[in-house]
Amino acid sequence: MSKRILVVVPEWNPSAGGIQRYGDALVSALQQLLGAESVRVLSFHGITPADSSVPVTCCGANRLRFTQRFFSLLRQFNPTLIWFTHINLSPYGILAQRVGGFQYVVSAHGVEVWNTKRSLNRLALKSATVVAPVSRYTRDVLLREQMVSEQKLWILPNTSDENRFALKPLPLKPHDPIILTVNRFERRESYHGYRMVLRALPEILKQLPNLRWKLAGTGNDLTTFQQEVSASGLSQHVELLGYVAEDKLPQLYQEADLFVMPSLLEGFGIVYLESQLCGTPCLAGNLDGSVDPLCDGALGILVNPHSTEQIAEGVVSYFNGTHPVARLNAATLRSETIKRFGSTQFHSLVQSLLSMI
């Protein structure tokens, strides 16, 4: 019997963020592998788009409407598998499993599964047919903290659109070295490490006095961080860009020399892939899921994110050419990223996961 898969997402907006892009990539892979008629999408947030090429039903964040449409799709579409791309919706898998014997997969990204205290979420992880962590780090936390059976875990890393994030001819880069950070400035997500970079900046500037640091993103922590930049006396070296449109991001990545985001609690970090696809290597933390997109340091610079000394040393060593990553040219970095995390590899991993169910 051919597979029919219902993909349940928190929000159907492929350009909004990492989890949304993951959902879009997953649906694209499933449609290519199984055919468009074998895939349906149910979204908790949003309004059903009129012009979507994907058969998607959105529920406007209405819990009753979502519940009704979930069970309606179970009856009408009768999926052979339900795939939840976020743990907060996965308790519906328990219900589907108990009332109809449905199998389900739960995608596991980062902090939302590491620290979940909700008993239904924990039960949903343990009852799932497969749990799909995006990185080795998330897998290890699930084993250690959530006690998920190792036999149920299947790593499905993030991917990114290699056609949108691409190398394109650009005017000559300015002579001044540029580092870049793209993230959300949210108080609950300050683990992205931008404050540690600010603390490391004086040491970096001793060796690279003309360095410029560009930061893109918005959020409720941005005003506070702006004040901290001003108080540091380094405003002339720091450019807070605010919101940058999706279609402008590839050029922003490519214009930078080094992407810098030494996170503490990254589940994976899709922005690292975006930067690498644009030919710009990354500096990231070595204590979380960031090590996967950087391939354990083969494609980027890994540092202790608690150490301003290591952050500064990593940036300086890249620009003075002493770090091995400095010898990676843009085309090689891009091709190696595609080989490991491109759409072909992602589709292959999805197919392998489906074959084991």
Side-chain angles (χ1 to χ4, degrees):
M1 182 176 64
S2 60
K3 284 185 168 63
R4 295 179 305 280
I5 299 183
L6 173 62
V7 181
V8 183
V9 302
E11 180 182 17
W12 184 253
N13 185 358
S15 64
I19 292 176
Q20 292 88 340
R21 292 179 191 178
Y22 181 94
D24 179 54
L26 174 62
V27 169
S28 296
L30 292 171
Q31 286 184 316
Q32 181 171 318
L33 293 169
L34 306 175
E37 71 283 353
S38 298
V39 184
R40 295 289 183 274
V41 178
L42 178 64
S43 174
F44 181 72
H45 289 280
I47 300 172
T48 302
D51 58 348
S52 175
S53 60
V54 177
V56 54
T57 301
C58 298
C59 300
N62 184 299
R63 179 68 66 175
L64 177 60
R65 185 182 303 139
F66 177 85
T67 302
Q68 291 171 337
R69 291 181 177 174
F70 177 76
F71 284 103
S72 176
L73 280 165
L74 292 190
R75 291 191 304 270
Q76 296 171 12
F77 183 53
N78 190 27
T80 54
L81 183 70
I82 308 166
W83 196 313
F84 297 93
T85 67
H86 196 283
I87 191 176
N88 285 348
L89 299 172
S90 63
Y92 282 89
I94 302 172
L95 293 173
Q97 188 181 70
R98 292 183 176 178
V99 301
F102 291 94
Q103 295 182 304
Y104 68 94
V105 175
V106 180
S107 295
H109 300 278
V111 293
E112 86 287 352
V113 293
W114 301 341
N115 301 317
T116 183
K117 300 295 190 293
R118 293 174 60 184
S119 57
L120 277 177
N121 285 5
R122 295 168 69 96
L123 179 60
L125 286 173
K126 293 180 179 179
S127 302
T129 310
V130 173
V131 177
V134 297
S135 65
R136 292 170 295 171
Y137 183 79
T138 293
R139 177 201 60 194
D140 293 345
V141 175
L142 287 169
L143 283 169
R144 183 176 66 250
E145 304 293 338
Q146 302 301 341
M147 314 297 274
V148 177
S149 168
E150 188 170 6
Q151 286 69 40
K152 290 186 175 185
L153 294 170
W154 181 274
I155 296 176
L156 182 61
N158 275 302
T159 185
S160 189
D161 186 348
E162 59 255 41
N163 294 315
R164 187 158 71 92
F165 294 96
L167 290 173
K168 296 181 180 178
L170 291 177
L172 289 175
K173 289 183 179 179
H175 184 265
D176 293 344
I178 297 174
I179 60 174
L180 171 69
T181 302
V182 177
N183 65 191
R184 289 184 297 272
F185 288 90
E186 296 287 341
R187 294 186 190 99
R188 60 187 176 85
E189 297 183 17
S190 59
Y191 56 76
H192 284 145
Y194 44 88
R195 285 189 168 84
M196 292 299 290
V197 177
L198 181 62
R199 292 171 193 163
L201 199 54
E203 190 62 31
I204 295 170
L205 291 171
K206 289 179 183 179
Q207 303 294 322
L208 302 165
N210 297 322
L211 179 130
R212 295 160 56 200
W213 180 23
K214 295 184 177 184
L215 299 97
T218 60
N220 58 25
D221 197 33
L222 181 57
T223 299
T224 301
F225 186 66
Q226 285 175 319
Q227 294 167 350
E228 292 170 7
V229 171
S230 297
S232 73
L234 301 171
S235 297
Q236 70 273 27
H237 295 280
V238 181
E239 187 176 353
L240 293 165
L241 303 173
Y243 171 75
V244 175
E246 287 291 318
D247 61 342
K248 303 296 183 186
L249 279 175
Q251 181 173 339
L252 188 65
Y253 284 121
Q254 197 171 341
E255 287 175 342
D257 297 292
L258 182 67
F259 183 87
V260 176
M261 195 175 81
S263 288
L264 288 166
L265 295 172
E266 203 69 52
F268 182 92
I270 198 170
V271 288
Y272 301 122
L273 294 186
E274 293 173 352
S275 183
Q276 291 171 185
L277 288 170
C278 293
T280 301
C282 303
L283 179 147
N286 62 5
L287 301 178
D288 60 9
S290 307
V291 300
D292 282 13
L294 274 64
C295 296
D296 298 315
L299 299 184
I301 302 168
L302 292 171
V303 300
N304 184 334
H306 295 289
S307 170
T308 56
E309 291 81 7
Q310 285 196 23
I311 293 170
E313 182 182 346
V315 172
V316 171
S317 68
Y318 176 76
F319 283 102
N320 67 21
T322 58
H323 196 284
V325 170
R327 296 188 283 276
L328 265 181
N329 64 51
T332 300
L333 177 61
R334 173 178 166 79
S335 65
E336 289 296 318
T337 301
I338 291 174
K339 182 169 71 176
R340 292 170 168 84
F341 304 105
S343 57
T344 299
Q345 175 67 1
F346 185 78
H347 289 193
S348 176
L349 289 171
V350 171
Q351 186 173 36
S352 297
L353 188 154
L354 293 178
S355 69
M356 62 181 278
I357 298 176

